[in-house]
């Protein structure tokens, strides 16, 4: 049985690097997307809506590096969560 740390190490150092590339590069793209979003929103505490938007941007950043169906599915899922938040279904 594989331990949690071993699985996380394999996922981050092998699987995700093969899928998306070097995390330093991918996260740099995501950092620019999040920075642009946060600058637009101004200086204030983050809300649940912001987390959903930023998770969508994380997936956009990954998709920009390499297409994975998982990215599109997750974007749709986070968009649904955002709709739930905006519609008052989730507090």
């Amino acid at each position: 049985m594989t331990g949690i740390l071993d699985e996380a190490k394999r996922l981050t150092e092998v699987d995700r690097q093969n899928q998306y590339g070097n995390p330093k590069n991918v996260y740099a793209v995501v950092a620019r997307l999040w920075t642009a979003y946060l600058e637009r929103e101004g200086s204030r505490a983050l809300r649940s809506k912001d987390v959903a938007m930023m998770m969508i941007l994380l997936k956009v950043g990954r998709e920009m590096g390499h297409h994975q169906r998982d990215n599109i599915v997750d974007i749709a899922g986070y968009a649904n969560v955002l709709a739930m938040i905006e519609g008052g279904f989730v507090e």
Side-chain angles (χ1 to χ4, degrees):
M1 184 158 139
T2 303
I4 290 172
L5 293 178
D6 292 329
E7 182 178 354
K9 188 173 172 76
R10 179 185 52 79
L11 287 171
T12 57
E13 293 180 5
V14 179
D15 295 3
R16 294 306 176 266
Q17 283 215 49
N18 289 338
Q19 291 174 328
Y20 303 110
N22 185 311
K24 183 176 181 179
N25 299 331
V26 174
Y27 281 34
V29 169
V30 173
R32 288 192 298 272
L33 291 168
W34 284 10
T35 296
Y37 178 82
L38 291 171
E39 285 175 350
R40 184 187 71 79
E41 291 299 308
S43 181
R44 59 167 175 74
L46 293 176
R47 299 167 295 180
S48 55
K49 167 185 172 172
D50 298 319
V51 173
M53 290 296 295
M54 292 171 72
M55 293 305 294
I56 290 169
L57 292 172
L58 170 69
K59 289 304 199 165
V60 168
R62 280 186 166 179
E63 185 66 18
M64 288 172 67
H66 184 75
H67 169 69
Q68 292 286 329
R69 185 177 188 276
D70 173 70
N71 293 326
I72 306 304
V73 171
D74 285 351
I75 288 169
Y78 289 127
N80 186 57
V81 169
L82 178 60
M84 293 167 64
I85 291 167
E86 288 296 306
F89 299 112
V90 177
E91 291 188 21

